Structures are given as structure tokens and as C-alpha cells.
């Protein structure tokens, strides 16, 4: 009984001690404050992470579990056994063993079930990692292996040095040859025997590009050399494996991205080829319309060029819209952000451009203006030298070239002097004011005579004079003729010659080109008797009829 009593007392004291230890180790949480999860602890051996403890087991936090596993591993290694890792599943989890001795236990709380991990799979990975670490530990103690590893590292270092030397030589050779090639090629790019490109900028850009390429190759060679050397040293082999795995992952990701993008790129190429074929087919039709070989009711030579350009833009926009979803990275946030930015810029800044372009299209398709025609737009007068999408340019022939926005041209009255009579160049007119004391028939005859003396004025249709106004002091006479020249400078010369001939003819017949004004009534009325209505060179209707009869 005495012995039984003592055993019961000893067991009671042990239970009290365990409760007290548990209370000290895990204090009761404060009200309202959740307990923080324990910090993970790693079991590291031979520079390799064997396992990461994340949970508390029978009152032992992860840090104490890792320390205990390390001590048991050292004890197993001290026995100099076969050093064979293994696992053993039990009810609580999976044990990791070394030569049949327990090292640590992998519990369900230590793994991530959402990633598909199980205690057995994690224990197998830990055992495999432990096997690698034990092998590297044995290799570190092997002089033969260390000698072979040192020889391989020396050979790799020598190869690395030779590669760096070769890259240095290649840098010089490529830089020299590229500089010479660019200078020679750009020197051949001339416009009217004048070199238009400066080779210095392109040479500097090529040098920077070559430097970037060479440094990239150097970094790649350094990366491979470092991964190889670290992989041959047992202690740093895990670091070398990480470098190799990272390089393989990057290469795999790039190759996978290229392979995944190939179907989309093939579709983009097919869409581009179809768009190009349609554009070439349409271009062949428009070229025949422009040359006059093909006649289409709604299309002529003047509108064929802008229609072809508009159709090309529509085709490529449609092709871009079709190919956009298949472009690599089209669904990424960066690509979509750039698309939104471009759309915003176009919508904000293109309103005036769209208005000018629409006005240009209206002018082209309304056919109110054509290149080479002589027109008057507002206060500007000259030959149309360009009818573009956004602007119209006139050349006056007096050393001026006037550029007008198409929206302004469309909002002003346009007088076209090149369509009054088919087969001639353009209308040529001038206005003079002669007093009422000069017979109007004489003025008509003198103006027609002046026009007949100009070689560049067409004889058919015949020039004619109209009285466009009867002012208080003088009538206004306008001479209208048709010039055969088409260049703006020649038109200015013809108009100058016409003015000279008008002055000469009026001087020959004693008629002053004046615009009289009166401050009081004249002493004699300025009335011309009927017998003086046809002074020379005017011909009276009776004389004209007599001449025709004879």
C-alpha cells in the first residue's frame, strides 16, 4: 500500500507540473484580442531547406520543433549509418525517417491543402531534399570530388574569360563595320545631289545598340558561368540550382508565350494579307479610272485618287479591328490603357481635323474645284495647284501662293473662270470706266481691238464687252475674253499685256481713260448726237449692211 500511495502521489505531482508548464507556455488570450499564429521555422541542413514547420504540436511551437529535428538529425548522423531517408505514414500525419530513426512529423497543419499538398507528398519532398543534402555533405568530405569540381570550375572560368575576350573583339569589329556601313549607305541617300541625312546621329545610335547587345551577352555569359560554378560546389549547389531553375523558367515562359501567340499571329497575318489583296485590287481599278481607260458614272479622274485613299483607310481600319483581339497582349491592362489614351487624344484633338477633312471631301466630290483651274475664292484669285484633304493652295502668278483651309473655302463663294467655255483655258476680264461723253460703241470697239492684238487670247469664242454699271459720272465697261494659257504666271502676263494694249488703243483714238466727277452742272450737256454715235473704229449698222451687200 505504501508503494501504491507513493506512485499515486508522484503521478499527481507530474500532472500538476505539466499543467503549470502548459499554462506558462500558452497563456490565456486576452478578451477581445485573437491569438496570433505562430511564426514558421525552417530546418536547414547543408544550405538546403529540408522542411518548414508551421504549426504547434503537443505544445511545442515551430521553432522548438525545428530545433528538436535538428538535434535528432545530428544524432542520426553521429551513428554513421547508411544515411537512407524515408517516410512512414501514421494516424497523426507522416514521419520523416533517417536510417529508421524519427526526425520530425509532417502534420496536416503544416501543409497547404488548397495547393493539393498532402502529408505524404510533402514528406517525400523533404526526404528527397534531405538525400541531396546528405550527398553534398559526403561530397564536401571527398578530396577526389573536390579536385574534379575545382578542375571543372577552372575550365568553366577559362571558357568564361575567353568568351568575354571574344565579345570584346566582336564589339570592336561590329562597331567598326556598322559605322562604315551606315556612313556609306547614308552617304548614298541624296536628293538632287544633296545629302539629306546626317550619319553622325545614326552612327551614335548604332553604337549604343551594339553596346547594349554586347553587355546583354556578357551578363548572360556571367549568369551561366555563375550558375555552373555554384552548381559544382556542394555547399552552394542549391543556389546554382535556383539560378538554373530561374533561367529555365524564364526560357520556358518565353517559349510558351511565343507558342501561345502563334495562332493569333497567323490569323493577324491572314487578315493583313487579305486586306492587302483587296487594297491592290481596288488600286488597279482606280488607276484605270485615273488614266481614263475605265469610265464609271459616279467616279471620274478627279475623285478617283481621294476615293482610293479613303477606301485604303477604311480597309486597314477594318483589318485592324478584326485583328486586334488576336494581337499578343491585346487583353492586358497596359494594352487597353494605351487604346483608351489614343482614343481620348483622337476624340479631343481631332474635331477640327475631321471638319477640315470633311470639307475637303465635299469639295472633291462636288467637283467645284479641280487642279489647274483658275478660280476666285473670296478675295483671293489664282490657279489651283493643290486640292488636298485639309487645305487648298492657289498660286496667283505674282510670286504669291495662298493656302486656305478647306472649311473656309467651303464657306465662301467660289468663282471658277475655267469652265465658262469648253476648249479654252480660262476667262480673262478687266473693267474700265469712261465718261459719258465717249460713245459706248467706240469704247466697245476699242476694247475688242485691244483683245484681238493679244496672241494668247482665243479668237473663238470672240471677246465681248458688257456695260455692267451706269454710275452718276461714268458707265463701267467689262471686257471678257478667253485665254489659252493655263499657268498662273502666264495668265498674269496676258492680263498685263491686255492692260497695255487697252491703254495704247485708247491713246491711238484720243480717248482718255478717266473717271470724271462733277462738282457743278457743266455749261454744255454731255449728250452725243446720233450722227456721232459711230466714230472710228466703230462701224454704223447702215455701213455694215452696205458692206455685207457688196
Amino acid at each position: 500500500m505504501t508503494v501504491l500511495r507513493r506512485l499515486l502521489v508522484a503521478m499527481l505531482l507530474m500532472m500538476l507540473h505539466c499543467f503549470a508548464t502548459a499554462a506558462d507556455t500558452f497563456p490565456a488570450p486576452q478578451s477581445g484580442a485573437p491569438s496570433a499564429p505562430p511564426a514558421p521555422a525552417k530546418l536547414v541542413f547543408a544550405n538546403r531547406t529540408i522542411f518548414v514547420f508551421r504549426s504547434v504540436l503537443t505544445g511545442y511551437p515551430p521553432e522548438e520543433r525545428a530545433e528538436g529535428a535538428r538535434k535528432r538529425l545530428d544524432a542520426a548522423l553521429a551513428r554513421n549509418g547508411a544515411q537512407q531517408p524515408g517516410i512512414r505514414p501514421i494516424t497523426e500525419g507522416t514521419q520523416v525517417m533517417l536510417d529508421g530513426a524519427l526526425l520530425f512529423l509532417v502534420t496536416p497543419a503544416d501543409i497547404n491543402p488548397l495547393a493539393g499538398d498532402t502529408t505524404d507528398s510533402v514528406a517525400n519532398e523533404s526526404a528527397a531534399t534531405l538525400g541531396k543534402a546528405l550527398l553534398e555533405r559526403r561530397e564536401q568530405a571527398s578530396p577526389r570530388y573536390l579536385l574534379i569540381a575545382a578542375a571543372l570550375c577552372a575550365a568553366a572560368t577559362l571558357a568564361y574569360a575567353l568568351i568575354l575576350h571574344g565579345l570584346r573583339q566582336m564589339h570592336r569589329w561590329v562597331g567598326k563595320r556598322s559605322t562604315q556601313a551606315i556612313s556609306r549607305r547614308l552617304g548614298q541617300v541624296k536628293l538632287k545631289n544633296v545629302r539629306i541625312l546626317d550619319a553622325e546621329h545614326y552612327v551614335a545610335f548604332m553604337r549604343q545598340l551594339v553596346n547594349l547587345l554586347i553587355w546583354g551577352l556578357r551578363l548572360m555569359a556571367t549568369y551561366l558561368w555563375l550558375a555552373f560554378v555554384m552548381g559544382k560546389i556542394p555547399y552552394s549547389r542549391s543556389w546554382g540550382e535556383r539560378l538554373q531553375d530561374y533561367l529555365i523558367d524564364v526560357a520556358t515562359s518565353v517559349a510558351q508565350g511565343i507558342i501561345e501567340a502563334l495562332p493569333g499571329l497567323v490569323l493577324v497575318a491572314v487578315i493583313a494579307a487579305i486586306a492587302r489583296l483587296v487594297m491592290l485590287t481596288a488600286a488597279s481599278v482606280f488607276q484605270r479610272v485615273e488614266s481614263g481607260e475605265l469610265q464609271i458614272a459616279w467616279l471620274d479622274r478627279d475623285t478617283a485618287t481621294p476615293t482610293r485613299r479613303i477606301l485604303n483607310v477604311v480597309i486597314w481600319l477594318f483589318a485592324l479591328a478584326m485583328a486586334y483581339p488576336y494581337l499578343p497582349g491585346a487583353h492586358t491592362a497596359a494594352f487597353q490603357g494605351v487604346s483608351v489614351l489614343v482614343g481620348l487624344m483622337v476624340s479631343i484633338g481631332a474635331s477640327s481635323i475631321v471638319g477640315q477633312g470633311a470639307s475637303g471631301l465635299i469639295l472633291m466630290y462636288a467637283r467645284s474645284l479641280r487642279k489647274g483651274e483658275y478660280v476666285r475664292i473670296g478675295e483671293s484669285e489664282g490657279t489651283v495647284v493643290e486640292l488636298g484633304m485639309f487645305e487648298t493652295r492657289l498660286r496667283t502668278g505674282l510670286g504669291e501662293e495662298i493656302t486656305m483651309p478647306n472649311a473656309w473655302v467651303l464657306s465662301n463663294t467660289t468663282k471658277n473662270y475655267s469652265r465658262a467655255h469648253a476648249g479654252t483655258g480660262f476667262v480673262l476680264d478687266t473693267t474700265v470706266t469712261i465718261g459719258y461723253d465717249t460713245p459706248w460703241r467706240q469704247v466697245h470697239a476699242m476694247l475688242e481691238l485691244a483683245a484681238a492684238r493679244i496672241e494668247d487670247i482665243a479668237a473663238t469664242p470672240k471677246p465681248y464687252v458688257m456695260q455692267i454699271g451706269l454710275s452718276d459720272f461714268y458707265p463701267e465697261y467689262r471686257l471678257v475674253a478667253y485665254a489659252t494659257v493655263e499657268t498662273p504666271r502666264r495668265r498674269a502676263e496676258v492680263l498685263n499685256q491686255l492692260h497695255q494694249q487697252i491703254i495704247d488703243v485708247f491713246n491711238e483714238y484720243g480717248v482718255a481713260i478717266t473717271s470724271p466727277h462733277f462738282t457743278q452742272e457743266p455749261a454744255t450737256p454731255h449728250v452725243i448726237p446720233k450722227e456721232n454715235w459711230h466714230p472710228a473704229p466703230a462701224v454704223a449698222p447702215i455701213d455694215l449692211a452696205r458692206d455685207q451687200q457688196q
Side-chain angles (χ1 to χ4, degrees), residues 447-507:
L447 291 175
E448 292 172 358
L449 178 61
R453 293 181 178 181
I454 309 299
E455 294 181 356
D456 291 322
I457 292 181
T460 304
K462 184 180 179 181
Y464 61 92
V465 181
M466 299 186 67
Q467 294 169 222
I468 59 175
L470 298 176
S471 300
D472 292 338
F473 308 113
Y474 48 79
E476 297 181 18
Y477 302 90
R478 174 172 292 180
L479 172 64
V480 181
Y482 296 90
T484 58
V485 295
E486 297 182 358
T487 58
R489 179 59 188 170
R490 290 289 297 134
R491 184 185 187 280
E493 293 176 357
V494 172
L495 188 61
N496 177 53
Q497 295 175 10
L498 180 60
H499 290 162
Q500 294 173 353
Q501 290 297 330
I502 290 174
I503 295 174
D504 291 342
V505 170
F506 274 65
N507 287 332

Side-chain angles (χ1 to χ4, degrees), residues 53-75:
F53 298 92
R54 293 183 173 86
S55 64
V56 178
L57 181 62
T58 63
Y60 293 97
E63 184 177 358
E64 293 185 7
R65 291 178 62 194
E67 183 180 357
R70 177 63 191 219
K71 290 180 180 180
R72 286 188 291 273
L73 178 59
D74 292 339

Side-chain angles (χ1 to χ4, degrees), residues 147-159 225 228-233:
L147 183 61
I148 295 174
L152 292 175
C153 291
T157 304
L158 179 61
W225 169 79
F228 179 82
V229 171
M230 296 182 69
K232 293 302 177 182
I233 300 175

